[in-house]
Amino acid sequence: MQQLGELWRSLDARRRLIVAGATLATLLAVLAVAGLSRGPGQMALLYAGLDPRGAGEVITALEARGVAYEVRGDAIRVPVAERDALRMSLAGEGLPATGGEGYELLDSLSGFGTTAQMFDAAYWRAKEGELARTIAAGPQVRAARVHLAVPPAGGFREPAPPSASVAVTVAGGTLSAGQAKAIRHLVASAVAGLAPEAVTVVDALRGTVIGGEDAVPGEADRAAQLRASLLRLLEARVGPGRAMVEVSVEAVTEREAITERRLDPAGRVAIASETVETTGSATDTRPGSVTVASNLPEGDAAGSGQSQSRESTTRERTNFELSETTREVLRVPGAIRRLGIAILVDGIEGADGWQPRPEAELADLRDLAASAAGIDPGRGDTLTIRSMPFEPLAEAGTLGEPGPLAGVTLDAMALIQLAVLAVTALVLGLFVLRPILTRPPQPAALPAPGRDDGTAVPVLTGEIDEGDYPAGMPLVAGGLPALGSFVMPAEDGPEDPVARLRRLIAERRAESADILRGWMEEDAR
């Protein structure tokens, strides 16, 4: 500021007026460019990224209002002064449409001429539109289409389960598995009888299924969570930064359904018992046979033979039912098939230097880690812990941090305006202010030399000859311009020229100083 003040005081009145006028002109130019940037002709973004149908509806509404607009790719631009009002007005009319038509489709249906099939088709169309609107309301979803497949109910057959598919257009990146799961549950909850597993979410840009069954859910997250918990447990004992944990999770990737049926003979149960008893008798009479005894006087010669039989049968039948067990097991992807954990801990620094940790302490740490991780030797899980010295790791690089311009959005019109302002200031500075400030001040007119008594000293004009100087005085090569001089009066007797010059300078100091000053300024010019 002090230098500027000195520079301002060194300028004459004319230069001060020129500097003030140039500064005022620069200010007016800046204000003019700024006013032009906010003028009614400046266009601002109204909507971008709309589908062709939605963009056509917005353009039709703008033409009906008589508003000027520009279409650049998938962006629609309108004048800056009318942008906010247009957004509010178009939103009141439901524009731009974020999805298909919803329940307003049912408003146009009447009871006359509408069959049950027509009403069902319109109902499911409205359901799809409403679901698409809800999904597209997410911050990361640009557009969504929903397709519902609901088989009609039959009179003599069981209806097939419904299914659905959702095509999602993401604004940037892709949806995570958790977001796709949320969409599946949203659609399944809106349709009766629809299971979340029957809903497929597809990335419309890449054509891939998001969060399908073939992906292992949460394998990396599970390993990271287990590593963090083990590291927190170990550092509580060995100290921060003195333990390293690596976790390898091998998950099940296939889907398996197992149906098992077991019969237990020892667990039989009698469910029915039947007993049948049969009894029978028979008598048979036959003539007696002739024997010696029958011919004796006291013998029974006329005796006859008689036989009798009796039969009794008992049958018992018992029906048994064996104990039966039926079990159905469904194994889905994501279960842990094998777990591997490697732990490295630092030793102990003592008077004798570095020493490994005792085996008893390592065994305790191994038990703690096995309990925290849920190690199961039956499925092949392994846990390895070692105590080794830690080597200092060299820094691979610096942490990437967002720069000061990370959140600044560049606008082409704003850059053009800044360029115009910079060129204007540069032109004014180079061609107006710089010549004024760098031009040396004009020397003031020298007063006519004179003596102390007021009489003027005769001044010689033209080139100075050798005769104008005293004899013996050295001359400048090429001669000197006649800026001013004085006539040396003649003296009686010879005198040293140098002594004479010194005497004249001592007597006429003012005139001598004026002559020397004139020579210096002439050399400078």
Side-chain angles (χ1 to χ4, degrees):
M1 295 298 294
Q2 183 178 0
Q3 295 179 355
L4 292 178
E6 294 178 356
L7 181 61
W8 177 259
R9 287 190 295 270
S10 64
L11 299 177
D12 54 4
R14 184 176 61 86
R15 292 186 179 183
R16 292 180 181 180
L17 291 177
I18 294 176
V19 171
T23 304
L24 182 60
T26 304
L27 180 60
L28 294 178
V30 171
L31 294 178
V33 174
L36 181 61
S37 63
R38 294 190 297 266
Q42 183 68 19
M43 308 298 285
L45 179 64
L46 180 64
Y47 294 114
L50 300 178
D51 57 338
R53 180 181 177 182
E57 294 176 352
V58 172
I59 290 176
T60 303
L62 293 178
E63 291 178 349
R65 289 173 170 80
V67 179
Y69 65 90
E70 292 181 0
V71 179
R72 301 179 184 177
D74 60 349
I76 302 176
R77 296 179 176 272
V78 295
V80 177
E82 303 180 14
R83 181 188 61 181
D84 297 336
L86 286 173
R87 284 183 178 177
M88 299 296 291
S89 177
L90 294 176
E93 300 178 5
L95 296 177
T98 56
E101 296 180 347
Y103 286 126
E104 60 268 15
L105 286 173
L106 304 179
D107 297 338
S108 60
L109 297 180
S110 60
F112 299 97
T114 302
T115 63
Q117 290 79 6
M118 295 173 59
F119 182 82
D120 291 342
Y123 174 76
W124 290 117
R125 283 183 58 195
K127 179 75 73 174
E128 292 174 352
E130 291 295 333
L131 289 173
R133 288 178 178 177
T134 304
I135 296 173
Q140 197 174 355
V141 179
R142 181 187 299 175
R145 293 289 300 273
V146 180
H147 303 280
L148 301 177
V150 182
F156 300 98
R157 63 179 179 180
E158 184 178 356
S163 60
S165 59
V166 181
V168 180
T169 302
V170 185
T174 182
L175 291 179
S176 62
Q179 292 172 329
K181 183 179 180 180
I183 292 176
R184 287 199 297 269
H185 281 273
L186 172 66
V187 177
S189 301
V191 179
L194 180 59
E197 294 78 11
V199 181
T200 304
V201 181
V202 180
D203 192 337
L205 296 179
R206 297 172 177 82
T208 57
V209 179
I210 304 175
E213 294 180 357
D214 53 347
V216 179
E219 181 176 344
D221 297 340
R222 188 180 304 172
Q225 183 178 3
L226 184 57
R227 177 182 178 277
S229 61
L230 290 176
L231 190 61
R232 184 170 58 252
L233 177 65
L234 294 172
E235 287 182 347
R237 169 60 184 170
V238 300
R242 305 188 65 184
M244 296 292 294
V245 180
E246 292 296 334
V247 180
S248 174
V249 178
E250 183 180 352
V252 177
T253 58
E254 64 272 6
R255 187 183 184 94
E256 183 180 8
I258 300 175
T259 302
E260 182 181 3
R261 182 183 180 187
R262 291 185 178 181
L263 299 177
D264 187 7
R268 62 181 183 174
V269 178
I271 59 175
S273 179
E274 181 181 1
T275 304
V276 179
E277 294 183 0
T278 304
T279 303
S281 61
T283 303
D284 186 14
T285 301
R286 298 178 181 177
S289 59
V290 179
T291 63
V292 177
S294 63
N295 292 326
L296 293 177
E298 64 276 3
D300 189 5
S304 61
Q306 184 178 1
S307 62
Q308 185 177 4
S309 63
R310 184 181 298 272
E311 182 181 1
S312 178
T313 303
T314 302
R315 292 184 302 176
E316 184 177 358
R317 183 173 61 183
T318 304
N319 296 329
F320 293 92
E321 185 72 21
L322 297 179
S323 178
E324 180 181 359
T325 303
T326 303
R327 187 179 63 172
E328 184 176 357
V329 180
L330 179 63
R331 296 178 180 176
V332 297
I336 297 179
R337 176 177 294 171
R338 182 180 174 276
L339 188 63
I341 300 177
I343 300 176
L344 178 63
V345 294
D346 199 1
I348 302 174
E349 295 288 344
D352 299 334
W354 185 92
Q355 297 293 332
R357 294 186 179 272
E359 290 296 332
E361 184 179 358
L362 294 178
D364 295 338
L365 294 177
R366 183 183 297 104
D367 295 338
L368 290 174
S371 300
I375 296 297
D376 185 5
R379 65 185 180 188
D381 296 349
T382 58
L383 174 61
T384 305
I385 182 170
R386 294 289 186 271
S387 178
M388 297 181 180
F390 279 25
E391 296 294 336
L393 298 178
E395 295 184 0
T398 58
L399 179 62
E401 298 180 354
L405 302 179
V408 178
T409 57
L410 298 179
D411 188 1
M413 295 303 300
L415 293 178
I416 294 175
Q417 295 169 10
L418 292 177
V420 171
L421 292 177
V423 170
T424 304
L426 184 62
V427 170
L428 292 175
L430 291 178
F431 297 100
V432 178
L433 298 180
R434 185 175 179 274
I436 296 175
L437 298 179
T438 57
R439 183 181 301 170
Q442 297 294 334
L446 296 177
R451 297 187 178 90
D452 296 339
D453 56 0
T455 59
V457 178
V459 178
L460 299 179
T461 60
E463 296 293 335
I464 302 177
D465 298 331
E466 295 182 1
D468 298 333
Y469 292 91
M473 182 177 180
L475 300 177
V476 180
L480 296 175
L483 297 176
S485 180
F486 52 87
V487 178
M488 301 178 184
E491 297 288 345
D492 297 335
E495 186 178 359
D496 185 15
V498 177
R500 183 181 180 186
L501 181 61
R502 289 179 179 174
R503 180 174 55 81
L504 292 176
I505 293 175
E507 294 177 356
R508 303 177 182 180
R509 293 182 179 180
E511 292 83 349
S512 301
D514 293 339
I515 294 174
L516 292 177
R517 186 182 300 108
W519 290 351
M520 294 171 61
E521 292 177 355
E522 183 65 24
D523 292 341
R525 286 197 296 269

